[in-house]
Amino acid sequence: MNSVWVTTFAIAMAAGTTLVFAAVGEVVAERAGVLNLGLEGMMLVGAVTGFMALDRTGSLELGVLAALAAGALLGLLHAFLTVSLRADQIVAGLALTIFGTGLSAYLGRDVVGKPARDSFDPLAIPLLHEIPWVGPVLFDQNLLVYTSYVLVAAVWIVLFRTRLGLHLRAVGESAGTADAMGVSVVGLRYGAVIVGGSLAGLAGAYLSLARTPGWSEGMTAGRGWIAVGLVIFARWNPLGALAGGFLFGLMEALNFQAQAVGITLSPFFLGMLPYLFTIAAIVFAALVGGRRLGAPAALGLPYRREER
Amino acid sequence: MRRLGPLVVEQRRVASRWTSALVRVAAIALALGLGALILEAGGYSARDSYRTMWDAAFANRDALAETLVAATPLIFTGLAVAVAARMLLWNIGAEGQLFLGAAAASWLAFSFPDAPRGLLLPAMVVAGAVGGAAWAAGPGVLRASLGVSEIVTTLMLNFVAILFVDYLVHGPWRDPESSGFPLSKPFTTSAILPSFGDTRLHAGFLIALGAAIVVWTLLRSTRFGYEVRVIGESQPAARYAGMPLRRNIVVVMLVSGGLAGIAGMSEVSGIVFRIQPDISAGFGYTGIIVATLGRFSAPGVVVAAILFGALQVGGYALQTTEVPPSIVQVLQGAILFITVGAEVLARYRVRWSPGREKRTPLAEKAP
């Protein structure tokens, strides 16, 4: 393997991280039984608020915090619509995406194309980054990429190795049973959707503060939707989301590296790769996993105690 | 049932038609209120902004014509989303289907520039429909055969379609005389839809109304429409009745994609007279709001599309002021999610019923 491919894989890792954040958040929400199709809108709002906070204060940390908070707020709105009002989760999510797209454009009107005051730059981890091949790909990245590794591990542990995770998954599989066990369906669903929203906000901030520092309207370019597809591909498992994020990132990286690795396809067709790959991935998942694919059984269903 | 003083709140299965309409009007009013708050918070005058928007959309004959021009593609995409949604399918790929329809129609326009108008224009409508339907076929077949979510697939194909048109316009169809901004060659006059008087309102609007009538009749008085409605209400019931579920999924997606494809034809042939990357201002996505607001019925879609056309025209007018036109997108999104939330509330009925009914002692009842 030569250095061109190492560079390509490193770009893939960096490009995939935004998908990892968004997809892990969506895994949490969907495991609790709430589908959130508002990811794209939440990511855009996260990207713009993160960048604006950086622009006002010069602090990257505040930028990240602002994005997390903005995402959480939109998550709260989605939870209110779908959990409390029991609105259709699909329509509510679409509404959120359309609203978020407009809101981000409105909020960011004065910072379009403004140069970033600061950005998360690569920070090689001593020793680890010297491991051949793996080192430069995994351990010569920015702080947020490392955060995503920790996040994936943490969410996996919480979901599959703690009581809280057990309860969360119970709520997503059979809300009535969980309720009978004394688990708060409403509380856990609210919590999961808010966590999912804040991670979507972070995914957006990763774009505007690290990957391509700056703000432009619609800069997520469908990555929120790719993340929704990625969750299916990952079979609702954060580890799968990390692997999938890398694969999807690779499709994007090939776009930058086309000449270097000797691909002569038109850039327009190369640009289609991530989207076509998403379709291929969920078709593959359906072929392998059958109709339900191991989706949480209560996904998309509102819970009414009176109808238990 | 829940009691709040003298009021009794009861749940009903479906919201009544009237409450539903009322909810929508209230949602629009609320969204405008929210928009006013956002505008004022940003230091703009909400009053002046709304005034500008209203004048641009309704003040005179030309303004009305512009509103209908903007409503035209939204009627098509709104119908596209509505037809699919009747069967609980979410086609959020109307945007991509619109682009493919536009590309297919343009291909005809470039291939037969000298064909008679009366022949070329209908052929272009058909080509638009076929292009859009072809783009929706894949997601339909995948959903029917493997249960793959049509939401994700139709959406992904939007980006692919736009890149494809980008490629055409930058490459094979590029106008050699255009410099910088990529455009295709212009259409010949026989590929251009006639327009009304000196306005920009074109025959595409009539085709859109025709499409609404066709969809309305299709859903109301044909076997296919009946099956779509039954499947939308209850899949098990449809299965017991022996209705072909999978075939209907594919057919509905084809119809839906075809409608969105005609939107593309109508835009290139009625408004821009060539194909270029910015033929759609997110019409496919706005179609989702239009369909939801119109309760997924054809007449409802037409009304909602005209309303949203007015919003769009109002948004363009804001570009000449200091107010950011993206406020219109905020309004559109807010209208949708307030409707979604309020629709649920409309499923409750509040009844005036003071006090409990007094129990009459048995003794008094006896004669």
Side-chain angles (χ1 to χ4, degrees), chain A residues 81 85 87 90-91 95 98-99 101-103 105-106 109 222 225-226 268-269 271-272 275 278-279 282-283 286-287 291, chain B residues 38 44 90 142 144 146 148 155-157 159-160 163-164 166-167 170 289 324 326 329-330 334 336-337 340-341 344:
Chain A
L81 285 172
L85 294 182
I90 293 175
V91 193
I98 293 170
F99 178 71
T101 309
L103 188 66
Y106 179 81
R109 64 196 180 274
W225 292 102
I226 292 181
F268 299 107
F269 290 102
M272 295 175 188
Y275 310 112
T278 306
I279 296 175
I282 59 173
V283 169
L287 282 172
R291 278 197 164 241
Chain B
I38 295 176
Y44 307 104
W90 286 100
L142 285 175
L146 292 170
V148 171
L155 195 109
M156 287 296 119
L157 287 177
F159 298 99
V160 178
L163 281 164
F164 179 62
D166 268 355
Y167 158 77
H170 281 85
I289 318 180
S326 45
Q329 268 175 295
V330 178
L336 181 57
F337 77 67
V340 171
V344 182

Side-chain angles (χ1 to χ4, degrees), chain B residues 92-168:
Chain B
I92 48 181
E95 185 81 359
Q97 292 142 20
L98 181 151
F99 271 87
L100 250 280
S106 304
W107 174 75
L108 266 190
F110 295 139
S111 305
F112 306 97
D114 304 320
R117 202 182 200 189
L119 215 63
L120 185 58
L121 283 177
M124 281 170 69
V125 174
V126 174
V130 171
W135 208 237
V141 170
L142 285 175
R143 170 66 200 259
S145 60
L146 292 170
V148 171
S149 160
E150 77 286 359
I151 300 178
V152 179
T153 50
T154 51
L155 195 109
M156 287 296 119
L157 287 177
N158 286 346
F159 298 99
V160 178
I162 293 168
L163 281 164
F164 179 62
V165 168
D166 268 355
Y167 158 77
L168 290 175

Side-chain angles (χ1 to χ4, degrees), chain A residues 61-272:
Chain A
E61 291 75 17
L62 282 178
V64 168
L65 279 179
L68 284 168
L73 266 178
L74 288 179
L76 180 67
L77 181 63
H78 188 62
F80 175 69
L81 285 172
T82 57
V83 180
S84 295
L85 294 182
R86 303 183 191 102
D88 186 288
Q89 296 179 4
I90 293 175
V91 193
L94 289 174
L96 213 54
T97 283
I98 293 170
F99 178 71
T101 309
L103 188 66
S104 63
Y106 179 81
L107 291 174
R109 64 196 180 274
D110 293 331
V111 292
V112 175
K114 211 170 168 184
R117 286 171 67 178
D118 199 356
S119 66
F120 284 99
D121 297 322
L123 212 100
I125 297 185
L127 297 177
L128 284 178
H129 86 276
E130 287 169 35
I131 306 172
W133 302 345
V134 180
V137 174
L138 292 181
F139 302 114
D140 192 3
Q141 301 281 5
N142 65 58
L143 192 61
L144 290 180
V145 178
Y146 303 139
T147 311
S148 77
Y149 305 158
V150 178
L151 179 82
V152 166
V155 170
W156 187 85
I157 291 170
V158 170
L159 273 181
F160 299 111
R161 291 290 180 272
T162 67
R163 183 172 287 265
L164 175 68
L166 181 69
H167 288 169
L168 188 94
R169 286 183 290 133
V171 166
E173 290 296 335
S174 169
T177 316
D179 192 18
M181 273 161 57
V183 175
S184 164
V185 175
V186 172
L188 276 179
R189 285 196 168 166
Y190 259 87
V193 177
I194 291 171
V195 167
S198 59
L199 288 178
L202 177 61
Y206 175 79
L207 288 177
S208 65
L209 302 179
R211 179 86 187 105
T212 49
W215 162 252
S216 60
E217 277 183 29
M219 70 183 293
T220 49
R223 289 188 183 86
W225 292 102
I226 292 181
V228 172
L230 180 54
V231 171
I232 302 171
F233 176 73
R235 303 267 193 116
W236 292 269
N237 186 328
L239 298 178
L242 182 66
F246 174 74
L247 270 180
F248 282 78
L250 187 61
M251 296 299 125
E252 206 179 308
L254 283 177
N255 220 340
F256 293 102
Q257 293 288 96
Q259 279 194 321
V261 299
I263 299 174
T264 52
L265 206 58
S266 141
F268 299 107
F269 290 102
L270 277 172
M272 295 175 188

